[in-house]
């Protein structure tokens, strides 16, 4: 079993690793050559100039100012200096609220840690049950500080029950205040936010087919009839996935051409670069690299032109969906939050994501297949979660001295050395588990994309919810169950079944040692490694050496990254879960969690200010998920404590805990009813107020011109896709509408509740147009 000495050695190793990462970062960040790696956000905002543009040659590479090395820790106060309002202007509300999750952890666990250490640690330590009565249960010196050391049916359990109430009330109080604060911040942010296309637009899906009108004409007809005073324009959705792949492939080939040309210009020999045409250039015919790349680019350009014509002319490339824009935010809010048709499966509307948040590839997925895709991914996720228990059990079995000695007896003389033994027990379990989880975020994001979510923010929230569930089942429950079963297997086999609950109840708190090692590896050394950005540093200099020819190339070589909500937020939630579950069970874990929250807040505040460039802005739409997961952790901690007390023969005191989950769930329902609507709906009052103010300030603003290109597929805006202004018109919608006359191509009105209309710009070229007055 892991001892306090093992934990101390693990803590020393992880602290040393974190210090090395911080010192390396402090030195690397002040080197002129690395300026774009550690401050890319300021370059994107044109607020920083490169120090390599002036001065002597050596000073362009290495910082020779010795005084800057003495101030190597000045990034810490600088990261805390920026006020929250300025941070919101600089990085967005999503980033500011994300940081508040770490602050919430500190607000919750600092008082809890103080109370637990002042009351529960002395109560647990002074009972001596493990040393006196449970000789048949494997334990360690750490367990002497936990509830495992309190004897069965002891009156000391009342201290744990009272503090469970105190911890619950304090956590709920903090959650209530934070929910109210974030909801207010969101409404204020939306009220003061600059004009954006998504404020005026909705996405309509499952547009029914019409034999007489195209999708764009049918959409326009429907909204002119049902929103005739507010409808402005629409942009149909195209399946341009193949075209996008060709454009991406051409851009990649262009990078290779730039590399070969740069290589040739730097070469002192007259020999031109060569390459093999086979897989990854490992085999195949050897050809002139520059000529080959030019030929491939010309070939791809022809394919792009051909595919562009196909997308433009093929009706199958037009999806039954469109982005519909309105004259006011109020009208868009009404449309997005109401049912449009008597058939609830047709004309489905939702708020349009902001243009940079749209995941264009999934817009080409037929709406009818989304349910099937979600079912397939639900089954796949179940099996992923279930079968991952096997490596979790393997980690728990092999990452202990006893199991290693059994599997490899020849290693016994080596691992019995005190330092190596402490290193294995205090460091190996956490690092092995972290290695197993490396590819999990990528797998879960792929699963979310397969399900068909149409925005990056929704993809990340979906992946985050699954990551949290995976952590809960495998990392938390799996580690407890697998570890307990393996540690106590011999004891369980020798006992009668009636003794199982007591033995397991005593053994579960002992897994706190494993989680302490994991916290130090992931939450201490892992967070410190995040700020070093070693991967981005290496890739930037490789690109800078092999591909960069211009300043624009150098900007594209920067890897700003983003918050990574899909995997970082569930990781935070694991720490909330561990803190709330073990607060009354093993308070020793709380200081380790506090170090994580404090260190992570400092590091990620620095990264958000200087590095991360968020891909989208959802105005903190993720907060209801954050709140719900903390509530889930709180309820589970209460249930776990009830089960533990029941196993400790404290049946008389256990019923006093039954009211806690009920009160917590009632509190959650209150918060959902009171604050969650601010995150899923747009109040008409706020929309009307913003419309009125904007119209007063700028009454002549041309909204149609502002919106007409907002939701065109990015591939059509690319320089690789060439088309004339007339061709662009095929992707845009009407310019002006007559409010009284509705032209239509339909020969029958039986399938429409009112006359239709198409754009005045295109109506002249449509034969058989019938002009009708709209019905009163």
């Amino acid at each position: 079993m892991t001892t306090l000495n093992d934990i101390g050695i693990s803590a020393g190793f992880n602290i040393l690793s974190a210090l090395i990462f911080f010192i390396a970062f402090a030195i690397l960040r002040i080197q002129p050559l690395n300026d774009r790696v550690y401050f890319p956000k300021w370059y994107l905002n044109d607020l920083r100039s490169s120090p390599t543009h002036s001065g002597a040659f050596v000073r362009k590479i290495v910082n020779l100012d010795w005084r800057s090395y003495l101030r190597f820790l000045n990034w810490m106060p600088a990261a805390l200096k920026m006020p929250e309002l300025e941070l919101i202007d600089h990085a967005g509300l999503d980033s500011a609220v994300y940081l508040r999750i770490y602050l919430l952890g500190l607000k919750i666990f600092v008082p809890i840690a103080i109370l637990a250490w002042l009351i529960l640690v002395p109560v647990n330590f002074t009972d001596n049950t493990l040393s006196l009565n449970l000789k048949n249960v494997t334990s360690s010196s750490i367990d002497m500080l936990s509830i495992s050391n309190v004897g069965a049916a002891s009156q000391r359990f009342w201290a744990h029950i009272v503090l469970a109430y105190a911890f619950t009330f304090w956590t709920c109080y903090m959650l209530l205040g934070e929910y109210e604060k974030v909801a207010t911040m969101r409404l204020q942010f939306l009220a003061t936010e600059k004009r954006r296309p998504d404020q005026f637009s909705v996405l309509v899906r499952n547009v029914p087919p019409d034999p007489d009108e195209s999708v764009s004409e049918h959409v326009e007809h429907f909204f002119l009839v049902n929103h005739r005073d507010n409808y402005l324009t629409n942009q149909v959705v195209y399946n341009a996935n193949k075209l996008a792949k060709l454009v991406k492939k051409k851009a990649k080939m262009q990078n290779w051409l730039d590399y070969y040309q740069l290589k040739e210009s730097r070469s002192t020999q007259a020999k031109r670069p060569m390459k093999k045409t086979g897989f990854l250039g490992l085999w195949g015919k050897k050809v002139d690299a520059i000529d080959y790349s030019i030929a491939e680019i010309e070939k791809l350009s022809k394919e792009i032109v051909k595919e562009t014509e196909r997308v433009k002319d093929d009706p199958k490339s037009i999806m039954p969906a469109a982005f519909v824009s309105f004259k006011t935010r109020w009208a868009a809010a009404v449309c997005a939050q109401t049912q449009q048709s008597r058939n609830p499966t047709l004309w489905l509307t939702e708020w349009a994501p902001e243009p940079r948040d749209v995941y264009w590839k999934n817009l080409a997925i037929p709406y009818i297949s989304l349910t099937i895709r979600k079912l397939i991914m639900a089954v796949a996720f179940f099996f992923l979660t279930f079968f991952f228990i096997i490596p979790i059990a393997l980690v728990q079995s092999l990452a202990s001295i006893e199991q290693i000695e059994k599997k490899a007896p020849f290693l016994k003389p080596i691992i019995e050395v005190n330092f190596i033994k402490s290193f294995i027990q205090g460091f190996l379990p956490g690092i092995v588990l972290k290695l197993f989880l490396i590819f999990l975020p990528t797998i879960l994001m792929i699963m979310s994309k397969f399900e068909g979510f149409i925005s990056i923010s929704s993809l990340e929230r979906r992946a985050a919810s699954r990551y949290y569930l995976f952590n809960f089942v495998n990392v938390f429950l799996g580690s407890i169950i697998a570890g307990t079963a393996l540690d106590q297997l011999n004891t369980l086999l020798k006992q009668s079944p009636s003794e199982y609950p007591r033995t397991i109840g005593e053994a579960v708190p002992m897994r706190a040692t494993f989680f302490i090692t994991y916290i130090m590896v992931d939450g201490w050394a892992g967070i410190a490694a995040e700020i070093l950005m070693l991967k981005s540093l290496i890739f930037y200099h490789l690109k800078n050496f092999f591909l960069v020819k211009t300043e624009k190339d150098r900007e594209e070589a920067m890897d700003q990254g983003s918050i990574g909500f899909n995997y970082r937020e569930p990781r935070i939630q694991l720490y909330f879960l561990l803190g709330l579950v073990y607060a009354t069970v093993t308070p020793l874990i709380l200081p380790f969690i506090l170090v994580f929250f404090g260190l992570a807040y400092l590091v990620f505040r620095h990264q958000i200010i200087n590095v991360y460039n968020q891909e989208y802005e959802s105005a903190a739409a993720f907060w209801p998920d954050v709140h719900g997961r903390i509530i889930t952790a709180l309820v589970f901690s209460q249930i776990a404590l009830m089960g533990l007390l029941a196993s400790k023969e404290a049946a008389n005191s256990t019923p006093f805990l039954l009211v806690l989950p009920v009160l917590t769930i009632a509190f959650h329902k209150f918060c959902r009813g009171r604050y969650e609507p601010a995150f899923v709906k747009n109040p008409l009052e706020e929309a009307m107020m913003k419309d009125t103010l904007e119209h007063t300030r700028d009454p002549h603003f041309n909204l149609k011109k502002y919106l007409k290109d907002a939701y065109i597929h990015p591939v059509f805006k690319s320089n690789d896709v060439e088309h004339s202004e007339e061709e662009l018109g095929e992707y845009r919608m009407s310019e002006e509408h007559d409010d009284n006359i509705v032209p239509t191509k339909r020969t029958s009105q039986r399938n429409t509740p009112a006359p239709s209309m198409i754009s005045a710009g295109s109506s002249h070229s449509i034969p058989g147009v019938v002009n009708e007055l709209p019905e009163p």
Side-chain angles (χ1 to χ4, degrees):
M1 292 295 293
T2 307
T3 64
L4 284 174
N5 183 58
D6 300 332
I7 294 295
I9 292 178
S10 177
F13 186 84
N14 284 286
I15 291 172
L16 180 62
S17 300
L19 287 176
I20 291 173
F21 290 142
F22 282 135
I23 293 173
F25 162 73
I27 295 174
L28 290 172
R29 68 184 285 270
I30 61 177
Q31 306 307 316
L33 208 60
N34 300 328
D35 205 58
R36 290 181 180 269
V37 177
Y38 294 110
F39 301 96
K41 192 160 190 173
W42 298 99
Y43 282 94
L44 290 176
N45 296 334
D46 294 325
L47 297 174
R48 192 179 182 95
S49 59
S50 176
T52 61
H53 287 170
S54 61
F57 176 76
V58 177
R59 291 183 178 274
K60 293 181 180 181
I61 301 175
V62 180
N63 188 341
L64 299 179
D65 183 7
W66 60 270
R67 288 168 296 187
S68 62
Y69 292 91
L70 299 179
R71 302 189 300 268
F72 70 97
L73 292 178
N74 65 352
W75 66 270
M76 293 184 178
L80 301 173
K81 189 176 180 181
M82 183 179 287
E84 188 173 60
L85 290 178
E86 186 178 343
L87 181 65
I88 293 173
D89 291 335
H90 176 70
L93 185 63
D94 281 342
S95 299
V97 172
Y98 173 78
L99 288 174
R100 293 188 70 90
I101 304 177
Y102 295 106
L103 283 180
L104 178 62
L106 291 173
K107 291 176 183 177
I108 289 176
F109 288 113
V110 167
I112 287 178
I114 293 173
L115 279 177
W117 274 80
L118 288 178
I119 299 175
L120 292 184
V121 169
V123 168
N124 295 336
F125 183 73
T126 55
D127 201 302
N128 297 326
T129 296
L130 288 177
S131 59
L132 298 175
N133 300 327
L134 293 179
K135 300 292 186 181
N136 61 328
V137 175
T138 306
S139 62
S140 71
S141 55
I142 293 176
D143 299 316
M144 302 296 291
L145 303 177
S146 74
I147 199 172
S148 300
N149 198 38
V150 179
S154 173
Q155 294 297 315
R156 294 173 180 242
F157 287 127
W158 285 106
H160 299 83
I161 294 174
V162 171
L163 284 188
Y165 270 88
F167 295 165
T168 296
F169 290 153
W170 174 252
T171 302
C172 289
Y173 176 73
M174 286 289 100
L175 286 174
L176 179 65
E178 200 66 23
Y179 215 149
E180 182 177 7
K181 175 65 175 178
V182 174
T184 303
M185 290 172 66
R186 173 180 167 85
L187 292 176
Q188 289 176 348
F189 179 80
L190 293 175
T192 58
E193 191 179 24
K194 295 180 180 179
R195 184 186 293 110
R196 285 193 337 196
D198 55 294
Q199 298 169 353
F200 300 89
S201 304
V202 301
L203 174 64
V204 56
R205 308 180 78 177
N206 223 23
V207 176
D210 188 277
D212 297 317
E213 294 181 330
S214 66
V215 174
S216 59
E217 293 162 353
H218 192 25
V219 168
E220 185 169 24
H221 162 254
F222 180 86
F223 283 94
L224 277 173
V225 170
N226 297 284
H227 299 267
R228 63 183 297 242
D229 293 330
N230 297 299
Y231 169 77
L232 185 62
T233 185
N234 79 75
Q235 172 60 56
V236 293
V237 173
Y238 288 84
N239 183 355
N241 290 345
K242 184 178 179 181
L243 180 60
K245 289 180 181 178
L246 291 173
V247 172
K248 184 178 180 181
K249 188 176 180 181
K250 180 182 176 182
K252 184 178 180 181
M253 188 58 65
Q254 184 64 49
N255 283 338
W256 278 111
L257 177 60
D258 293 341
Y259 163 69
Y260 291 128
Q261 289 176 337
L262 195 61
K263 183 178 180 181
E264 183 186 31
S265 66
R266 291 174 176 175
S267 176
T268 57
Q269 302 176 357
K271 186 178 179 181
R272 287 167 66 86
M274 307 292 287
K275 69 163 292 182
K276 294 180 179 180
T277 58
F279 178 71
L280 295 178
L282 299 177
W283 57 75
K285 184 180 178 181
K286 201 169 186 179
V287 297
D288 184 289
I290 294 178
D291 292 340
Y292 175 80
S293 299
I294 292 174
E296 286 295 308
I297 290 173
E298 291 177 354
K299 179 182 175 182
L300 288 169
S301 297
K302 294 178 182 178
E303 291 182 19
I304 288 172
V305 172
K306 184 178 178 180
E307 180 63 18
T308 302
E309 292 297 324
R310 188 196 67 80
V311 171
K312 183 180 67 172
D313 298 331
D314 187 2
K316 293 183 180 179
S317 296
I318 302 176
M319 305 305 297
F323 290 98
V324 180
S325 298
F326 295 86
K327 298 176 182 177
T328 62
R329 296 173 180 83
W330 181 89
V334 170
C335 181
Q337 297 167 176
T338 55
Q339 182 175 315
Q340 303 301 310
S341 172
R342 67 184 66 181
N343 185 342
T345 64
L346 300 177
W347 298 101
L348 303 176
T349 56
E350 59 184 285
W351 277 108
E354 64 167 316
R356 60 177 178 163
D357 189 24
V358 178
Y359 188 69
W360 294 95
K361 186 180 294 185
N362 280 0
L363 284 174
I365 298 175
Y367 186 82
I368 195 172
S369 68
L370 294 181
T371 302
I372 300 174
R373 285 170 169 262
K374 290 179 180 179
L375 179 61
I376 293 173
M377 284 300 98
V379 175
F381 179 69
F382 170 80
F383 283 105
L384 175 67
T385 305
F386 179 79
F387 286 110
F388 206 88
I389 294 178
I390 297 173
I392 289 290
L394 183 65
V395 168
Q396 294 295 333
S397 63
L398 295 181
S400 64
I401 296 298
E402 295 80 5
Q403 293 297 327
I404 293 176
E405 289 179 348
K406 288 180 181 179
K407 299 293 182 181
F410 60 90
L411 294 176
K412 186 174 181 179
I414 299 175
I415 61 179
E416 283 298 329
V417 177
N418 288 337
F419 176 79
I420 296 178
K421 183 177 181 180
S422 297
F423 174 81
I424 293 174
Q425 294 192 141
F427 182 77
L428 188 61
I431 193 66
V432 171
L433 178 59
K434 189 167 177 62
L435 290 175
F436 268 111
L437 297 175
I438 284 178
F439 298 105
L440 182 63
T442 303
I443 295 172
L444 295 180
M445 184 58 79
I446 292 173
M447 294 174 69
S448 298
K449 291 177 179 178
F450 182 83
E451 285 186 90
F453 292 95
I454 53 92
S455 66
I456 300 173
S457 57
S458 59
L459 285 171
E460 290 196 343
R461 288 200 294 271
R462 180 65 164 183
S465 65
R466 285 195 166 142
Y467 201 151
Y468 173 76
L469 185 58
F470 185 93
N471 276 343
F472 183 81
V473 173
N474 279 325
V475 178
F476 182 70
L477 291 180
S479 296
I480 288 177
I481 295 172
T484 299
L486 291 166
D487 284 348
Q488 313 298 335
L489 183 58
N490 292 330
T491 301
L492 291 172
L493 292 175
K494 295 176 183 179
Q495 286 181 334
S496 64
S498 61
E499 294 292 320
Y500 286 176
R502 178 179 177 180
T503 303
I504 294 176
E506 294 289 344
V508 166
M510 300 176 189
R511 300 313 302 168
T513 57
F514 166 75
F515 290 119
I516 289 174
T517 63
Y518 180 75
I519 289 170
M520 288 188 290
V521 171
D522 180 69
W524 294 11
I527 292 297
E530 172 67 30
I531 202 171
L532 184 59
M533 298 174 58
L534 190 59
K535 177 183 173 183
S536 298
L537 180 68
I538 294 173
F539 274 83
Y540 171 77
H541 286 299
L542 288 175
K543 292 177 181 178
N544 194 42
F545 183 79
F546 291 112
L547 297 176
V548 169
K549 293 191 297 183
T550 65
E551 281 299 313
K552 185 175 183 298
D553 296 335
R554 191 167 283 107
E555 288 184 7
E556 293 177 352
M558 294 188 301
D559 180 18
Q560 303 85 30
S562 61
I563 290 175
F565 182 84
N566 58 307
Y567 63 94
R568 286 202 174 103
E569 190 272 339
R571 182 169 70 171
I572 304 172
Q573 293 297 338
L574 177 62
Y575 290 91
F576 277 103
L577 176 65
L578 293 175
L580 291 172
V581 169
Y582 281 101
T584 54
V585 176
T586 309
L588 179 66
I589 202 174
L590 293 175
F592 297 89
I593 292 176
L594 289 177
V595 172
F596 160 75
F597 279 116
L599 191 62
Y601 176 74
L602 178 66
V603 167
F604 285 110
R605 207 173 201 276
H606 172 275
Q607 297 296 86
I608 285 172
I609 292 173
N610 298 294
V611 182
Y612 297 152
N613 184 40
Q614 191 65 359
E615 295 180 89
Y616 59 85
E617 178 57 62
S618 69
F622 56 80
W623 191 260
D625 297 331
V626 174
H627 178 89
R629 287 166 194 155
I630 297 176
I631 289 292
T632 301
L634 186 60
V635 171
F636 182 82
S637 69
Q638 297 158 355
I639 296 174
L641 182 60
M642 283 191 287
L644 184 57
L645 292 182
S647 70
K648 303 280 281 185
E649 299 179 7
N652 293 332
S653 57
T654 301
F656 288 92
L657 289 173
L658 290 175
V659 71
L660 276 181
V662 177
L663 292 176
T664 305
I665 293 172
F667 166 77
H668 179 53
K669 288 187 174 181
F670 166 77
C671 289
R672 288 189 61 183
R674 174 63 181 85
Y675 300 112
E676 189 170 324
F679 294 86
V680 295
K681 296 178 180 179
N682 189 4
L684 297 182
E685 179 185 21
E686 297 289 333
M688 179 62 75
M689 186 184 303
K690 193 168 179 63
D691 286 332
T692 303
L693 289 173
E694 193 170 273
H695 181 72
T696 303
R697 293 170 181 170
D698 193 0
H700 303 295
F701 180 76
N702 191 339
L703 185 61
K704 180 173 290 186
K705 183 178 180 181
Y706 172 74
L707 294 173
K708 69 175 183 178
D709 291 342
Y711 287 102
I712 292 179
H713 196 294
V715 75
F716 297 130
K717 300 177 183 179
S718 170
N719 294 329
D720 297 302
V721 180
E722 299 179 358
H723 37 241
S724 64
E725 292 298 322
E726 290 78 11
E727 287 175 324
L728 278 174
E730 296 295 328
Y731 299 103
R732 300 171 185 168
M733 285 312 301
S734 60
E735 293 298 325
E736 298 295 337
H737 299 296
D738 190 319
D739 290 334
N740 297 317
I741 298 178
V742 182
T744 179
K745 293 176 65 176
R746 291 177 176 169
T747 56
S748 172
Q749 298 183 45
R750 292 181 180 179
N751 60 343
T752 179
S756 64
M757 176 179 177
I758 58 171
S759 68
S762 60
S763 62
H764 301 295
S765 62
I766 299 175
V769 170
V770 180
N771 292 336
E772 298 180 354
L773 293 174
E775 296 178 1

